[in-house]
Amino acid sequence: MQVNYWKQRWADGRTGWHLSDVNPRLIEYWQHLGIDAASRVLVPLCGKSLDLIWLVEQGHEVIGVEASEMAINALPQSEKLSLHCGDFFEFSDPTVDAWYDRAALVALSPELRGRYFAHLASFLPHGARGLLVSFEYPEGMREGPPFSVVEDEVRALCGDKFKCELIDRLGSSEIETIYVLERI
Ligand SMILES: C[S@@+](CC[C@H](N)C(=O)[O-])C[C@H]1O[C@@H](n2cnc3c(N)ncnc32)[C@H](O)[C@@H]1O
């Protein structure tokens, strides 16, 4: 799933992943990171998610990265919210303290998922903590994106670069999985 695929989806209005409210998983699980309001938070592949606004409301300085100009233009920018329009694989910021991933990892094809974790590991400072909302479903149940990314894969992606704690599993056939990660 390359950037042009996503830009086309935005242009066609095929943005079924977008929620009209803040993701309840973010509200429920963000506290598990144990970070303070002064922490700078990165949101890779952020779309036009209202989660960015919620994170700002918690006092964080938030940096969203998104390939689609249409998505970026739908969001307000402020002193606390900066948005970078471009390919996440060309972005880095070694000053962030935390990150939030909802529908970013699962939006990427298997080969890009490895690159995504390697890229995060290349610039995130040691001790940076991340909330990952992943998604699992039985093989063949649907065609991604979103892709099914099971716990074994998340752990393999983390390798020796990230500590990984599974916090919750929600649902039955389509399961949302919540992880707290830490760059080690
Ligand atoms: C499934 S959506 C999720 C958006 C957001 N996280 C949310 O929860 O609403 C994935 C987003 O990633 C963007 N995207 C995909 N590949 C990207 C890349 N390499 N760099 C930056 N953005 C990318 C797409 O344009 C799309 O908005």
Side-chain angles (χ1 to χ4, degrees), residues 19-180:
L19 302 178
S20 56
D21 219 331
V22 179
N23 188 335
R25 310 301 179 219
L26 172 62
I27 297 172
E28 186 173 352
Y29 295 100
W30 187 244
Q31 58 186 319
H32 283 265
L33 293 196
I35 58 170
D36 59 27
S39 299
R40 298 184 79 227
V41 179
L42 171 68
V43 185
L45 283 64
C46 64
K48 57 173 182 178
S49 171
L50 299 177
D51 298 352
L52 295 157
I53 315 290
W54 185 87
L55 288 164
V56 167
E57 285 168 0
Q58 307 316 300
H60 298 301
E61 197 181 317
V62 179
I63 304 106
V65 183
E66 168 57 51
S68 161
E69 233 170 82
M70 283 182 75
I72 295 279
N73 290 340
L75 284 163
Q77 294 221 33
S78 67
E79 218 177 283
K80 288 268 195 181
L81 177 59
S82 45
L83 300 167
H84 292 264
C85 191
D87 187 346
F88 179 64
F89 293 100
E90 287 163 17
F91 172 90
S92 69
D93 182 343
T95 70
V96 298
D97 306 296
W99 77 102
Y100 169 61
D101 177 323
R102 183 263 170 180
L105 176 65
V106 299
L108 300 171
S109 56
E111 56 290 357
L112 283 184
R113 297 202 282 271
R115 257 186 80 197
Y116 174 68
F117 262 72
H119 186 58
L120 284 170
S122 74
F123 70 86
L124 285 174
H126 299 284
R129 288 168 71 75
L131 183 70
L132 166 65
V133 181
S134 188
F135 191 48
E136 298 182 8
Y137 53 83
E139 223 181 298
M141 184 170 161
R142 57 153 90 191
E143 214 180 285
F147 296 98
S148 175
V149 183
V150 300
E151 184 179 350
D152 280 353
E153 180 175 346
V154 173
R155 292 194 183 279
L157 287 166
C158 285
D160 59 1
K161 300 280 194 282
F162 296 91
K163 205 156 76 182
C164 170
E165 187 185 355
L166 175 67
I167 301 292
D168 217 342
R169 293 175 68 83
L170 305 138
S172 47
S173 64
E174 292 193 304
I175 301 168
E176 271 184 299
T177 45
I178 318 290
Y179 300 85
V180 169

